[in-house]
Amino acid sequence: MKRIILILLLVSTCLHARKTVIKVATLAPEGTAWHDILIDLGQKWNQATNGEVQVRIYPGGILGDERDMVRKMRIGQIHAAALSTEGLSELAPEFSAFFLPLAYQNFDDVNNVLADLLPGLSKEMENDGVKLLYVSDLSWAYWFSTEPIRVPGDLKDKKIFTWAGNYEYEKVYRKAGYTVVPLAGTELLSGLQTGLINTFSTVPLYALARQTFGIATHMLDMKWGLLLAGVVIDVKTWNRIPKKYHAGLIQILDEIKERSVNVNRESELQAIEAMKQYGLQVHTPTPNEEQQWRKEVQRLGPIMRGNTISEETFDRVMNILQVSQEE
Amino acid sequence: MGFKGKLPCILIIFFTAGCVPRRIIVDHPQLISTYYFENQIASFREKDSLTHPERRKLLKLEVEFAYGFILEEADRLFAEDYQQGLERAGDAYSLLKDAIKIGTLNLTKKYPEFEEWLSGKENIILFVQDDIYELYWLAAAYGGAIRASRGNPFELIQLPRVGKLLKAALRLDADWNHGALYSAMISYTATRSDLVGDALIDSVNKYYELAVSSSDSMDAGAFVSFAENIDKKFQHKSEFIRKLEYVSGMNINQDQDLRLGNIIAQERAKWLLTKTDEYFFE
């Protein structure tokens, strides 16, 4: 009898030990498309591993901003995170390449740069203890303002929002002669209401969710920047999942990625259309105006090179994009 | 007519009288869904045209059904089967969109400039006490549609309408229906994008205290709403448990006006308590 109890105890302990709980943090609020993607992912991983993997999601920035998430992952408090370019560049500074203004004009440009950078980046991150599971475009960023902005000169007398804590960008914009006001993202609307800021660049869905379109009623229809979305997991946790499941889990991620890319792109268009119905005026730059922006970006390039992005990565990305845009 | 044939009539009589046994609502929501809500809604929809009072009734029925039954079911499903949850949320969304049309129609018939007012124009409408009903249920329909749409930008953008409708109703009679407006303001305020940290907690807390005092602590929804929107978000675990345990032990028969809402809130509180370990990071 004693032997049976001992065996039962051992079996139950083994079964218990085999369960891997993955704590994932994200800024995406509950009930949004990006949060839904994580729910779907968690359930599919759970099924694919016969219940051995359980994904627990902490949404809406409950665990802090993306820098906090990366820090918490490094000290083992959480095991994974769904991040934007901001958090990804905390893990690998080369991701700053996706912050370059006006550099990417279509998804081919993005995919060409990702295809070139990712193998090295993934390896580098893995050596640093983090596995990059997923990365894709999330949305383009555009200029939103209280008065129309058509050419770079229109930015000169504006008070431009920058993310508090993003000192390099603050420095770059100041050096380029712009007036920037660093604020937390949550202060965007109150900043506009009080006149502390009157211009900002962001993705349309964020502008909509923050209800800024009632005050910042103008948008420049020019792809100023790009936001990426990525999912990372710490290597130790990934390795705790039996190897036999790894390929299946990656396949699930790839399937979800395909769907989410479409959802993200559609959401961006819907957000612009919805804001237009509420009075947002969208200005499409003329070829001449576009030319002026390109010139301005050429002026910004040397200020960014070696500051917000390493010289080597900057040159590499510019070369890829030159080839991509000539094709 | 056997028992089975009489069941719909019995349920409708019990339900409208507010005394349908709690166990039927909790254990057999399908019976209530089919025999009360679906049949009632269908009977209104079969009519060529509806009177103002009929539209009122339909508005409330659709919002109660979508919010209290379908979305509750969808939330449970999301935790187990995302695709099924999505489908159920889609069902609620259709009903809530219809409720928005009905509520808007009733108020537009009375105030032709209502839609302009709602979309943010500067015009002033002098609502009267009797309008609180439509203002409240229309606000609930908008809020429910946003939740059921799972982040659809065309719905998300309507969020300020919820606040505008509720504030208009609050100006008329803040204590209406045992503080139901304050309770609704808890959820709305928690989603305001211009509030953050302590300012958010203080603003939501103001409505929470008013809702509790106005209902004499008998509106379970106020406790559940605060626990979900603030205690969970700010990781106040003991407060979360305390409020939900209070609701779980509440005597829901004490106030007949709040009974249905309280049954639903009580079941939600019990379900949320089972999720405590998932929600709180330690």
Side-chain angles (χ1 to χ4, degrees):
Chain A
M1 185 65 185
K2 269 184 188 170
R3 227 166 85 184
I4 294 171
I5 292 171
L6 194 67
I7 289 168
L8 281 173
L9 265 173
L10 272 171
V11 168
S12 77
T13 312
C14 288
L15 282 175
H16 189 70
R18 277 169 60 190
K19 276 204 171 166
T20 306
V21 175
I22 302 173
K23 295 181 178 177
V24 189
T26 176
L27 284 183
E30 264 184 272
T32 57
W34 187 230
H35 177 242
D36 277 7
I37 285 165
L38 293 174
I39 295 177
D40 197 19
L41 172 74
Q43 287 174 3
K44 289 193 167 125
W45 273 22
N46 188 264
Q47 282 163 14
T49 57
N50 302 312
E52 285 184 43
V53 168
Q54 277 179 11
V55 174
R56 204 169 275 183
I57 306 159
Y58 297 92
I62 280 177
L63 303 184
D65 63 19
E66 294 195 353
R67 283 168 197 219
D68 292 325
M69 292 177 202
V70 169
R71 188 177 49 80
K72 284 191 165 99
M73 214 167 85
R74 292 224 184 271
I75 57 174
Q77 280 189 317
I78 58 170
H79 313 111
L83 303 167
S84 68
T85 322
E86 182 82 20
L88 290 170
S89 51
E90 279 288 307
L91 288 163
E94 287 86 346
F95 275 109
S96 304
F98 293 94
F99 279 135
L100 289 170
L102 276 189
Y104 307 87
Q105 284 312 296
N106 52 52
F107 297 116
D108 284 342
D109 289 347
V110 181
N111 292 335
N112 287 336
V113 172
L114 278 175
D116 185 86
L117 292 184
L118 273 188
L121 270 180
S122 303
K123 207 169 168 189
E124 195 184 308
M125 286 168 80
E126 217 158 319
N127 289 339
D128 204 25
V130 177
K131 186 170 176 62
L132 180 65
L133 290 172
Y134 169 117
V135 70
S136 74
D137 53 273
L138 185 64
S139 180
W140 298 104
Y142 301 85
W143 283 109
F144 291 88
S145 51
T146 55
E147 288 169 32
I149 287 172
R150 294 181 189 279
V151 290
D154 294 334
L155 279 179
K156 291 284 177 185
D157 62 345
K158 299 290 183 295
K159 290 175 271 183
I160 304 169
F161 163 90
T162 55
W163 292 90
N166 204 335
Y167 305 112
E168 287 101 349
Y169 277 88
E170 200 185 313
K171 235 163 54 188
V172 164
Y173 277 104
R174 281 194 205 284
K175 217 168 168 182
Y178 296 110
T179 307
V180 291
V181 182
L183 291 173
T186 46
E187 292 169 315
L188 188 61
L189 184 59
S190 56
L192 282 167
Q193 284 165 338
T194 56
L196 199 59
I197 53 159
N198 50 28
T199 305
F200 56 96
S201 73
T202 193
V203 299
L205 198 54
Y206 191 76
L208 183 146
R210 292 271 160 218
Q211 302 283 340
T212 58
F213 54 88
I215 303 169
T217 52
H218 299 273
M219 182 189 120
L220 182 65
D221 187 11
M222 183 184 70
K223 297 180 178 85
W224 180 250
L226 172 84
L227 205 64
L228 291 179
V231 178
V232 292
I233 186 169
D234 84 273
V235 170
K236 277 186 218 157
T237 306
W238 179 251
N239 288 338
R240 274 212 310 272
I241 303 169
K243 274 211 163 49
K244 61 178 176 182
Y245 294 129
H246 284 189
L249 300 186
I250 295 287
Q251 196 192 328
I252 289 169
L253 262 164
D254 288 343
E255 284 163 13
I256 287 179
K257 179 177 163 178
E258 207 180 307
R259 187 161 48 83
S260 71
V261 164
N262 292 331
V263 169
N264 294 338
R265 291 176 188 176
E266 205 182 310
S267 292
E268 179 184 312
L269 298 175
Q270 286 178 338
I272 295 173
E273 202 44 51
M275 288 190 287
K276 271 165 82 174
Q277 287 176 11
Y278 276 72
L280 181 76
Q281 294 177 53
V282 178
H283 308 284
T284 307
T286 63
N288 176 274
E289 287 165 350
E290 225 172 281
Q291 197 49 40
Q292 290 186 52
W293 284 104
R294 299 232 163 263
K295 237 172 131 181
E296 178 64 1
V297 167
Q298 277 171 9
R299 190 176 74 88
L300 284 172
I303 307 175
M304 298 182 100
R305 186 175 178 268
N307 285 310
T308 58
I309 175 171
S310 74
E311 290 167 357
E312 190 198 336
T313 311
F314 182 90
D315 295 341
R316 190 169 157 190
V317 169
M318 284 306 168
N319 284 335
I320 301 165
L321 289 171
Q322 199 180 348
V323 175
S324 171
Q325 285 159 8
E326 275 169 8
E327 275 172 4
Chain B
M1 193 192 270
F3 175 73
K4 220 174 170 183
K6 285 178 189 159
L7 188 62
C9 309
I10 295 167
L11 277 173
I12 289 171
I13 293 163
F14 273 142
F15 204 86
T16 43
C19 54
V20 65
R22 181 184 172 280
R23 288 258 60 90
I24 294 185
I25 299 175
V26 173
D27 296 338
H28 306 285
Q30 198 53 45
L31 285 180
I32 302 296
S33 297
T34 310
Y35 292 120
Y36 182 72
F37 285 108
E38 285 176 23
N39 287 352
Q40 291 261 310
I41 290 169
S43 72
F44 279 120
R45 284 183 177 174
E46 276 164 14
K47 293 188 179 181
D48 290 336
S49 66
L50 297 174
T51 62
H52 180 91
E54 282 173 332
R55 279 197 298 270
R56 274 192 148 191
K57 205 166 176 201
L58 181 57
L59 165 67
K60 187 181 174 206
L61 275 170
E62 289 187 323
V63 176
E64 275 185 338
F65 186 33
Y67 234 128
F69 288 80
I70 307 178
L71 274 179
E72 281 298 308
E73 189 193 340
D75 277 356
R76 265 67 152 191
L77 282 169
F78 272 119
E80 307 300 328
D81 186 330
Y82 168 75
Q83 287 304 334
Q84 275 191 38
L86 212 54
E87 278 169 30
R88 212 61 189 118
D91 296 338
Y93 181 69
S94 309
L95 272 175
L96 290 159
K97 290 300 279 182
D98 196 55
I100 289 173
K101 270 189 212 155
I102 295 162
T104 307
L105 181 63
N106 259 11
L107 285 165
T108 308
K109 281 196 177 248
K110 198 166 173 186
Y111 307 105
E113 67 281 29
F114 173 73
E115 284 201 73
E116 279 186 359
W117 173 83
L118 190 58
S119 64
K121 296 276 181 334
E122 296 296 315
N123 58 331
I124 293 167
I125 294 182
L126 296 171
F127 293 106
V128 293
Q129 175 82 17
D130 186 51
D131 299 326
I132 298 179
Y133 183 96
E134 266 93 0
L135 292 169
Y136 173 79
W137 289 105
L138 185 56
Y142 270 114
I146 292 168
R147 189 174 137 200
S149 78
R150 311 295 291 177
N152 178 341
F154 288 104
E155 297 303 331
L156 202 55
I157 205 164
Q158 320 258 27
L159 188 63
R161 292 183 175 209
V162 179
K164 196 161 187 182
L165 290 161
L166 290 175
K167 282 174 193 164
L170 273 169
R171 279 192 290 271
L172 294 166
D173 180 2
D175 288 317
W176 180 79
N177 198 15
H178 306 271
L181 295 166
Y182 290 135
S183 244
M185 281 301 286
I186 297 173
S187 307
Y188 166 70
T189 309
T191 57
R192 274 178 54 182
S193 56
D194 56 334
L195 292 173
V196 62
D198 288 343
L200 175 64
I201 298 175
D202 291 346
S203 303
V204 176
N205 198 45
K206 182 183 90 179
Y207 290 112
Y208 168 69
E209 283 178 1
L210 287 165
V212 170
S213 130
S214 201
S215 68
D216 201 16
S217 303
M218 278 314 296
D219 177 7
F223 296 95
V224 176
S225 188
F226 195 92
E228 272 198 280
N229 287 298
I230 297 295
D231 293 334
K232 182 178 154 196
K233 187 181 170 83
F234 291 92
Q235 297 282 286
H236 301 153
K237 188 177 178 180
S238 56
E239 279 302 300
F240 177 87
I241 294 172
R242 193 179 63 81
K243 288 186 189 77
L244 297 182
E245 281 182 345
Y246 169 74
V247 171
S248 299
M250 251 172 104
N251 175 8
I252 45 103
N253 292 315
Q254 218 165 312
D255 192 316
Q256 290 305 309
D257 291 343
L258 295 168
R259 192 167 174 274
L260 175 62
N262 279 350
I263 291 173
I264 293 163
Q266 193 171 60
E267 287 311 302
R268 188 166 182 86
K270 287 175 186 169
W271 175 66
L272 288 170
L273 278 171
T274 67
K275 298 265 168 199
T276 306
D277 287 344
E278 255 179 62
Y279 294 154
F280 291 89
F281 181 79
E282 280 171 322

